[in-house]
Amino acid sequence: MSFDAHAYHVEKTSMPNYLGSPSVLNTIMWQHTESGLELAKEEDQMPFTGIIVGRVSPYRLKCGPAGNHMNSDVSPLVKAKYQFYLCRPADHELGMDFDTSVTSLKTLQNQVVKSGQCKNMLFEDVTGTMLRCVKSIFSMRDNAVPDSPHGQGAPNAPQMDEETHNWPIPDQFVTEFDMLKYNFQATPLPLFHDGHLVEPSMANEIMSGAIVEVHFGIHQWRIQQFDSFQASVERIVILRPAPRHHTSAYKRPHSKTTDDKEPEVKKTRYNAEASSSKI
């Protein structure tokens, strides 16, 4: 089914958390966290999850299994993040929604900035404003997995999860990965296309140039002489792929739901032919 940008625009602008709606600023507020600030809903002070639509730029697109990790001399693998930049879509209505979203994000930054410098979320270049979106790849385990076969064989010993065990880490980072996997687990980027979670190794290819819907939270920290803001990804939905063909990109089935959270799904891997939306 082809993507109808006009119908999408009409539907989303009536939603209270769509950043393309001018009224979104009337329903949210900043509140403290342990280390900074986060956006929350005024009605219940729960963390706010905003929605924005944009086109994924190939610029510094780092959504593979190692994310934006370069080498351990720069930063440890455990701190690696998925990273991508959203830019303005060419479609008129979606482009206007993106402009409105950027204006709202700038207003939100200005509400709490103290240093006069807002960094790490909105970037300006000759094409306009881009939104940098990130999500951590690794999270600490509730219980560390024993790092020896003997320990793993002990009664009630925590076991390595299937996702981390089969994580397609690039060869050059295997040593680093083997050191952290007993205390940290890998989490796939929540990237969905045609109802399927996309394989980590195919994420960059299928995202580049695509029109996507991004669900994200916003956080702020004061770091030395500037204010750092972060768009923390919670979910990404491919609305219209870039005009090229993709194969074997899907990871697992995903049931459609109106709830913001993805349903639990069985982690079975299979090959599927990725379909491209008509443009």
Side-chain angles (χ1 to χ4, degrees), residues 29-215:
M29 57 179 280
W30 289 101
Q31 67 180 11
H32 287 102
T33 64
E34 292 183 356
S35 58
L37 298 173
E38 68 177 0
L39 270 182
K41 296 177 289 184
E42 283 190 345
E43 61 179 2
D44 57 10
Q45 289 77 59
M46 295 298 292
F48 171 75
T49 298
I51 297 175
I52 189 171
V53 62
R55 181 171 62 86
V56 178
S57 170
Y59 174 73
R60 294 185 178 178
L61 176 56
K62 305 290 184 181
C63 287
N68 61 359
H69 182 63
M70 297 176 64
N71 60 68
S72 57
D73 293 334
V74 176
S75 181
L77 178 62
V78 70
K79 292 186 177 181
K81 290 180 172 62
Y82 300 112
Q83 170 186 278
F84 62 94
Y85 288 77
L86 279 188
C87 56
R88 192 181 194 274
D91 177 85
H92 175 71
E93 288 181 304
L94 298 186
M96 294 296 291
D97 287 354
F98 185 81
D99 291 342
T100 301
S101 299
V102 167
T103 298
S104 295
L105 290 170
K106 289 180 177 179
T107 298
L108 290 166
Q109 287 189 151
N110 290 333
Q111 289 176 354
V112 294
V113 63
K114 296 298 183 182
S115 65
Q117 296 187 69
C118 301
K119 294 189 176 184
N120 298 328
M121 187 169 75
L122 295 175
F123 292 80
E124 304 285 345
D125 73 355
V126 294
T127 66
T129 304
M130 296 190 297
L131 172 66
R132 177 177 177 259
C133 303
V134 298
K135 181 177 178 61
S136 295
I137 300 176
F138 303 103
S139 58
M140 183 171 287
R141 297 181 182 278
D142 293 333
N143 297 291
V145 175
D147 60 0
S148 68
H150 176 74
Q152 293 173 18
N156 301 317
Q159 299 297 308
M160 183 71 65
D161 61 289
E162 181 182 354
E163 194 72 67
T164 304
H165 178 72
N166 295 313
W167 196 247
I169 195 73
D171 291 344
Q172 65 268 37
F173 304 136
V174 166
T175 300
E176 290 180 80
F177 179 71
D178 285 345
M179 293 176 64
L180 69 84
K181 66 183 181 182
Y182 299 102
N183 292 294
F184 294 85
Q185 61 188 39
T187 305
L189 182 67
L191 169 65
F192 293 88
H193 181 212
D194 285 345
H196 293 81
L197 184 62
V198 176
E199 286 281 356
S201 59
M202 297 298 295
N204 285 336
E205 181 180 347
I206 206 166
M207 288 181 72
S208 184
I211 302 298
V212 299
E213 173 185 293
V214 181
H215 298 230

